[in-house]
Amino acid sequence: IFEIIKSYNVRTINFRLILYVIALSVLGIFVISSATDDTGYVSKQILGLAIGIVMMIILMLTRYEFIARYYWLLYIVTLVLLAVVLSPLGATHKGAQRWIDIGNAFQVQPSEIAKLLLIIFFSALIAKNQTTLNTWKFVFFMIIFAAIPLFMVYKEPDLSTSIVLFVTICAIIFTSGLHRRFIKVIVLIAVPLAVALIALIVILPPDKNILDEYQYNRLVGFYEADNEVAARIRYQQENSVIAIANGGLTGKGLNNTSVNSVKNADFISEPQTDFIFTIVGEELGFIGSAAVVLLLMLIVIECFRTGFRAREQIGRGIAIGMGSLIGIQSFINLGVVTMILPNTGVTLPF
């Protein structure tokens, strides 16, 4: 270990990326502290940041080729974890079976682990098969390898995470050197299928739809003013938009006791989770909100810059995959909180 540390080239460290991530994580701790009186959430966030920094240092000292060497094992672990969730061992909370309970106070969400493991798997799979990359046989197998975990995540049910995973995997594949003719054919097949799927969702009633009823109400009901179920779902988003608007330029301040605060009036249920950006907007205003969006954008840009500069395909895939994951997840979360997109449970990174 000492020899590895001594021979490490410090100049290869992307200090900007580390600074952006830590700054956003620290800001997140302060905002979560303001969003809830339960100190347990803040403690978990601080512990998560500390563990994350330790893991980051360990991985910085480990060549990613070594980790990627076991890419098939990582894929199998992913499928096993997702299978456990769908089994009787999986824990159900608020109608979704997405967790594994470890003890009374600790939960693991395998779909979150799957995001990281699948990024490494597809990056290594493509790197190991560069000579056969531009063949229909290999493209077909990549689609199958992606479809299995995506379907398992969708069945939890977790439509939003399956969408995030799908976009992330596509980004890795499409930037791997795949020939244009394959991309054109895939797009020509995928776009009509997507249009047909959306048409079916809109036309079919909730009891006969291909989506679960709650998914139907979230997607279709989002655009229907007379849908009472959807109106209850939109209620939180509507209050979120009011809170962000009330923040003005500089916000009401963290831990404020203002009586006209949407947070203090409990109009946002569990704001410390998916709707944390609502608290940012109301308490830190436009300046704080812009800072969060800017930090997320800078993290994504640094990931892409690192990816396109990488000498090996594995490094390129991992960096672009992580940038895509953070980018699409941030876009969906911010879109939900600002009522641009239908309500769905995607967390804001960091």
Side-chain angles (χ1 to χ4, degrees):
I1 294 173
F2 177 75
E3 289 299 321
I4 292 172
I5 295 172
K6 192 169 69 171
S7 62
Y8 193 86
N9 187 358
V10 179
R11 289 178 298 177
T12 62
I13 298 175
N14 190 332
F15 287 104
R16 289 190 304 275
L17 182 56
I18 296 173
L19 177 65
Y20 300 151
V21 169
I22 292 179
L24 192 56
S25 299
V26 171
L27 178 61
I29 291 170
F30 282 108
V31 176
I32 289 173
S33 175
S34 178
T36 176
D37 295 327
D38 188 345
T39 57
Y41 287 106
V42 180
S43 300
K44 286 181 180 179
Q45 196 77 359
I46 294 172
L47 179 62
L49 176 58
I51 294 172
I53 291 173
V54 172
M55 289 296 296
M56 179 187 70
I57 293 171
I58 293 171
L59 290 172
M60 283 169 61
L61 297 172
T62 307
R63 292 186 63 83
Y64 52 74
E65 293 92 343
F66 172 77
I67 300 170
R69 188 184 304 169
Y70 304 98
Y71 66 105
W72 279 112
L73 177 61
L74 298 180
Y75 185 73
I76 293 169
V77 168
T78 301
L79 298 186
V80 169
L81 287 173
L82 294 176
V84 171
V85 172
L86 297 174
S87 74
L89 296 174
T92 302
H93 299 280
K94 296 183 178 180
Q97 189 168 326
R98 302 174 185 173
W99 295 269
I100 300 173
D101 285 339
I102 301 176
N104 295 324
F106 190 65
Q107 294 176 334
V108 174
Q109 189 171 353
S111 59
E112 292 298 314
I113 300 172
K115 292 175 183 176
L116 305 178
L117 299 187
L118 288 175
I119 287 174
I120 299 172
F121 170 75
F122 279 98
S123 301
L125 179 68
I126 292 168
K128 302 285 186 181
N129 294 275
Q130 283 290 294
T131 55
T132 58
L133 173 63
N134 287 300
T135 62
W136 280 113
K137 181 180 178 181
F138 185 69
V139 171
F140 173 76
F141 278 118
M142 280 199 295
I143 293 172
I144 296 299
F145 293 144
I148 296 171
L150 286 176
F151 179 74
M152 295 174 77
V153 172
Y154 171 75
K155 291 299 291 182
E156 291 181 358
D158 196 347
L159 178 62
S160 52
T161 298
S162 58
I163 292 172
V164 170
L165 270 171
F166 173 74
V167 175
T168 302
I169 293 170
C170 284
I172 296 171
I173 294 173
F174 289 164
T175 56
S176 64
L178 191 66
H179 198 279
R180 290 180 186 176
R181 70 175 182 272
F182 293 99
I183 297 175
K184 287 179 181 177
V185 172
I186 292 170
V187 170
L188 287 172
I189 295 173
V191 171
L193 281 175
V195 172
L197 190 64
I198 293 170
L200 280 174
I201 293 171
V202 172
I203 294 170
L204 294 175
D207 57 334
K208 297 179 181 178
N209 209 279
I210 55 179
L211 296 177
D212 290 337
E213 188 172 352
Y214 88 94
Q215 293 173 333
Y216 174 87
N217 284 314
R218 284 188 173 187
L219 291 173
V220 179
F222 179 73
Y223 304 100
E224 293 182 359
D226 59 345
N227 188 317
E228 293 182 6
V229 177
R232 290 198 297 271
I233 296 172
R234 289 199 304 267
Y235 176 76
Q236 177 140 300
Q237 287 181 283
E238 290 166 352
N239 286 331
S240 173
V241 171
I242 293 171
I244 293 171
N246 286 342
L249 182 64
T250 57
K252 299 177 182 295
L254 290 173
N255 301 299
N256 75 84
T257 56
S258 173
V259 293
N260 62 345
S261 165
V262 172
K263 180 201 74 174
N264 294 333
D266 292 327
F267 286 134
I268 302 291
S269 61
E270 299 188 49
Q272 74 280 357
T273 56
D274 299 347
F275 277 78
I276 190 64
F277 190 76
T278 304
I279 306 303
V280 175
E282 184 172 54
E283 302 196 342
L284 299 180
F286 174 78
I287 294 175
S289 301
V292 169
V293 174
L294 180 62
L295 283 169
L296 287 166
M297 185 178 70
L298 289 172
I299 290 170
V300 173
I301 290 172
E302 286 298 329
C303 288
F304 282 141
R305 287 180 72 245
T306 301
F308 288 118
R309 287 178 172 181
R311 292 188 295 268
E312 299 92 359
Q313 175 57 44
I314 298 178
R316 183 184 302 125
I318 292 173
I320 290 174
M322 286 304 304
S324 302
L325 173 63
I326 295 167
I328 187 64
Q329 192 159 315
S330 299
F331 175 78
I332 293 175
N333 178 275
L334 297 175
V336 168
V337 172
T338 54
M339 210 173 173
I340 296 171
L341 299 173
N343 196 349
T344 184
V346 172
T347 54
L348 189 64
F350 307 108

